[in-house]
């Protein structure tokens, strides 16, 4: 199953029909184009494309975009707090585009250290990949795949925002602050990966 966000609307690609607002059975790539058109140009908030061969559907879907890979992390301290950044007025997790020749792990650690000013972040394990679609100024459609890792930090807190990247704040948040401050002012993908991380700890 793949969850992709299109302007904060949910597109779910699955093997079997899911109970979403709109459902389309996969026939060929025109089904995918129709789905994107509905999400981009109508009031439909969530849409499910389903079909037996999910790998084929996903492969065809990816062909509609230029793919950009990014990596980032949920950095946790011994107090049980998670590190967030604020960019363009929204809370986000530190992440960024992978550079040529980098592994996902190397990229995640580098981006966190660059965006938050922390040093010697410990990478624990891979959590999951999130997907979202956006359109460049030149009209090119991008599918951004962000690979997320669980990380720990137990050193001197040298955190400071990377102002040149538009980051205005770096802050540790506990579960209550995440639910009351971060979730109302973040992206669906971020809420999704944080909740998935919490579920994995239960």
């Amino acid at each position: 199953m793949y969850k992709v966000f299109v302007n904060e609307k949910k597109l779910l690609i699955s093997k079997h029909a899911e109970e979403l607002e709109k459902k389309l059975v996969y026939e060929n790539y025109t089904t995918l184009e129709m789905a994107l058109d509905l999400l981009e140009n109508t009031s439909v908030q969530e849409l499910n494309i389903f079909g037996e061969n999910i790998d084929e559907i996903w492969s065809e879907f990816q062909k509609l975009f230029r793919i950009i890979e990014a990596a980032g992390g949920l950095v946790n301290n011994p107090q049980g707090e998670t590190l967030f950044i604020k960019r363009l007025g929204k809370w986000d997790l530190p992440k960024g585009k992978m550079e040529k020749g980098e592994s996902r792990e190397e990229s995640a650690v580098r981006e966190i250290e660059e965006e938050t000013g922390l040093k010697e972040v410990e990478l624990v394990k891979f959590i999951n990949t999130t997907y979202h679609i956006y359109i460049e100024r030149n009209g090119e459609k991008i599918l951004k795949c962000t690979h997320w890792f669980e990380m720990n930090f137990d050193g001197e807190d040298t955190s400071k925002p990377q102002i040149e990247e538009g980051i205005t704040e770096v802050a540790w948040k506990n579960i209550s602050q995440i639910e009351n401050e971060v979730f109302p002012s973040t992206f669906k993908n971020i809420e999704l990966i944080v909740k998935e991380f919490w579920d994995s700890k239960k």
Side-chain angles (χ1 to χ4, degrees):
M1 187 184 295
Y2 296 91
K3 290 177 187 170
V4 183
F5 287 97
V6 184
N7 300 332
E8 296 293 281
K9 296 176 173 185
K10 182 161 77 174
L11 171 62
L12 191 67
I13 298 175
S14 60
K15 204 167 217 181
H16 307 292
E18 301 284 334
E19 285 307 312
L20 291 191
E21 182 184 342
K22 188 148 187 72
K23 295 191 276 280
L24 296 174
V25 61
Y26 178 75
E27 292 173 9
N28 52 41
Y29 79 95
T30 54
T31 311
L32 302 171
E33 291 182 323
M34 195 189 320
L36 288 171
D37 184 56
L38 284 166
L39 289 170
E40 288 168 357
N41 300 310
T42 74
S43 61
V44 171
Q45 292 296 310
E46 49 178 32
L47 189 148
N48 173 215
I49 296 173
F50 64 97
E52 268 305 304
N53 194 339
I54 192 166
D55 293 334
E56 179 201 338
I57 300 171
W58 183 244
S59 174
E60 287 299 312
F61 182 73
Q62 288 178 299
K63 288 177 189 171
L64 297 171
F65 306 93
R66 179 161 73 86
I67 294 172
I68 288 179
E69 289 200 89
L74 280 81
V75 184
N76 302 287
N77 66 16
Q79 290 75 47
E81 297 168 318
T82 301
L83 192 68
F84 285 87
I85 60 171
K86 194 171 236 185
R87 182 169 15 210
L88 302 175
K90 278 189 177 271
W91 287 109
D92 204 347
L93 290 166
K95 65 178 185 307
K97 289 179 191 173
M98 290 170 58
E99 292 182 354
K100 199 170 180 179
E102 267 187 332
S103 70
R104 294 173 176 183
E105 290 81 359
E106 288 167 341
S107 177
V109 170
R110 175 184 56 75
E111 283 291 344
I112 282 155
E113 292 185 345
E114 286 177 3
E115 292 196 342
T116 69
L118 290 186
K119 296 285 175 269
E120 296 178 18
V121 174
E122 176 201 1
L123 190 138
V124 181
K125 65 175 191 290
F126 175 68
I127 303 171
N128 208 341
T129 300
T130 58
Y131 304 93
H132 77 271
I133 288 162
Y134 63 93
I135 297 171
E136 292 277 27
R137 287 199 183 104
N138 62 6
E140 185 176 30
K141 287 189 174 182
I142 307 294
L143 174 62
K144 190 169 183 183
C145 312
T146 306
H147 310 294
W148 296 101
F149 293 87
E150 176 186 353
M151 301 193 184
N152 287 335
F153 181 76
D154 190 14
E156 181 193 350
D157 190 349
T158 55
S159 61
K160 63 178 192 301
Q162 189 184 17
I163 303 293
E164 61 271 26
E165 283 291 322
I167 300 167
T168 53
E169 201 177 331
V170 176
W172 294 98
K173 300 284 186 184
N174 61 32
I175 287 177
S176 168
Q177 290 169 317
I178 292 169
E179 288 177 330
N180 296 310
E181 297 169 25
V182 175
F183 284 168
S185 180
T186 191
F187 304 97
K188 293 272 183 13
N189 263 340
I190 300 300
E191 187 173 337
L192 181 78
I193 203 71
V194 170
K195 286 181 174 174
E196 194 164 322
F197 172 68
W198 286 350
D199 287 346
S200 75
K201 294 296 173 189
K202 285 177 182 172

